[in-house]
Amino acid sequence: MQCGFAFLEAGAVRSKNTVNILMKNILDSAIGGIVYWICGYAFAFGDKSNAFIGYSYFCLNDLPDSLYPFYFFHFVFAATAATIVSGCMAERTRFSAYFMYSVVITGVVYPIVSHWAWSGEGWLASGCWWDDVYYMDFAGSGVVHCVGGTAGLMGALALGRRLELQKGGESEGRRLEGHSVPLACLGGFILFFGFFAFNGGSQAAITNQGDSAVVGKAIVNTILSGSFGGLGASILSYIKLRKFSLLAVINGILTGMVAICAGANAVETYGAAVTGLVAGMVFFGVSELLFLCKVDDPLDAFAVHYGGGAWGVLSLAFLHADRGVLYEWDALSGKHLVWQVIGLLAITAWTAAITGPMFFGLRALKYVGYDALRVPEEIEREGLDVTEHGMEAYPNGGGPTAYGGAELTGVHINNAKL
């Protein structure tokens, strides 16, 4: 998954920021590995806990050896939540600020949400005041993707738009293109494959009776939802642009796979098809809405992850094969829908309440002479690779900058048609 995110994000940014985004994707694993070991797993799944948080197994102290695979699996989920944020904030964020938000998300925000939803004591998982009603989210549509999407939106709002998109900028009123469609496509394919383990592995076992059936169903539903997600996004992109957009299809497939995370084990195959088809359309609609609202999200990460995640959490309440509203249409199924909405709102509010003040607080330091969130204008124009890392992704005139340093975007070089 991290490799897929790295290639997708690298292809979607301009060549002058490629090293920076790759560095952030690699360090998501490194920082997440350290912080989740120190406190993340303890907050999420400590055997001493209450409805809000766990508080044992710090640094995996006294963790039974049999739980090490479970720890590893959820560390990967924590790193994924942080990676989503790097996409929303690409091309203009200080590297030091990246360190801070990566620590906070993998060490505090995501672990506590996962405790609520996936531990035995968490208030969302243990049920509400209604009988047999609890939050359902098999592989993290809300727990992982809505957390990452919400945090990313907070960061994007605090940062503001990239210089070229600001009023009077050379690209005002249009989208900035990345430097490598093949890289983005490769990243998309790697992510498609990674989602099979992401969703299928959420069963967290394979040796018990019935495990293989659940894993198989989750993988098949993931394929179907992703496929229909690509179809939904491509239909709307063609209606708007009169062209079939490759990037819209990639993001539509990813959104479909994000949406089915919640119910990959619990919906029929036609339910997965409906989930994916709507998810692709949700992606396109949310992406266009953010563009109209002048929110700069270089990778459409909020549309993919929060849009798909929120729809996935809600669609499960309608399409659950045993208790969905569209199947039962009774008071209990309605209560399940209400509890899913409560869970979604709680996850969104918690993430925004922690990350919003952090991002806006870092940005507010500019009023005392140092913007701790956004790089200076001259660094942003030159690119973060050389200024932040002292290297280029394509040195010596190679790669996409071979033509006199010009960016290759489709059939244009510096806006002149080839």
Side-chain angles (χ1 to χ4, degrees), residues 21-32:
I21 203 70
L22 290 174
M23 185 77 166
K24 290 175 180 177
N25 275 271
I26 291 174
L27 282 179
D28 277 331
S29 295
I31 294 174

Side-chain angles (χ1 to χ4, degrees), residues 183-243:
L183 272 183
C185 189
L186 176 62
F189 271 116
I190 295 172
L191 283 171
F192 302 160
F193 181 75
F195 261 109
F196 300 151
F198 196 93
N199 291 359
S202 292
Q203 177 66 6
I206 196 63
T207 58
N208 303 314
Q209 185 174 359
D211 284 342
S212 61
V214 175
V215 172
K217 185 174 187 177
I219 291 174
V220 170
N221 281 341
T222 300
I223 295 170
L224 284 171
S225 186
S227 300
F228 276 89
L231 178 63
S234 64
I235 290 172
L236 290 188
S237 68
Y238 184 79
I239 291 174
K240 182 178 187 296
L241 305 172
R242 294 300 173 187
K243 293 181 175 61

Side-chain angles (χ1 to χ4, degrees), residues 130-301:
W130 298 311
D131 291 336
D132 197 32
V133 175
Y134 54 90
Y135 178 76
M136 298 176 289
D137 192 353
F138 179 67
S141 286
V143 177
V144 178
H145 297 283
C146 285
V147 165
T150 302
L153 179 64
M154 293 297 103
L157 291 174
L159 281 167
R161 290 180 288 170
R162 287 167 287 179
L163 292 174
E164 295 86 353
L165 300 177
Q166 294 176 7
K167 188 174 182 179
E170 55 264 35
S171 297
E172 182 187 5
R174 65 181 181 88
R175 296 176 185 265
L176 285 176
E177 296 178 336
H179 83 280
S180 176
V181 173
L183 272 183
C185 189
L186 176 62
F189 271 116
I190 295 172
L191 283 171
F192 302 160
F193 181 75
F195 261 109
F196 300 151
F198 196 93
N199 291 359
S202 292
Q203 177 66 6
I206 196 63
T207 58
N208 303 314
Q209 185 174 359
D211 284 342
S212 61
V214 175
V215 172
K217 185 174 187 177
I219 291 174
V220 170
N221 281 341
T222 300
I223 295 170
L224 284 171
S225 186
S227 300
F228 276 89
L231 178 63
S234 64
I235 290 172
L236 290 188
S237 68
Y238 184 79
I239 291 174
K240 182 178 187 296
L241 305 172
R242 294 300 173 187
K243 293 181 175 61
F244 292 104
S245 168
L246 172 63
L247 296 180
V249 173
I250 293 172
N251 282 326
I253 293 173
L254 291 175
T255 310
M257 290 182 165
V258 167
I260 201 60
C261 285
N265 67 324
V267 303
E268 300 294 346
T269 53
Y270 52 82
V274 172
T275 299
L277 184 64
V278 176
M281 296 179 178
V282 167
F283 157 73
F284 193 87
V286 174
S287 174
E288 290 298 308
L289 178 62
L290 287 187
F291 182 74
L292 291 175
C293 293
K294 301 185 184 303
V295 177
D296 186 11
D297 179 356
L299 275 100
D300 274 329

Side-chain angles (χ1 to χ4, degrees), residues 8 31 69 118 136 212 218 295 305 318 344 408 416:
L8 178 65
I31 294 174
W118 287 336
M136 298 176 289
S212 61
V295 177
H305 295 279
F318 290 100
L344 176 61
L408 296 183

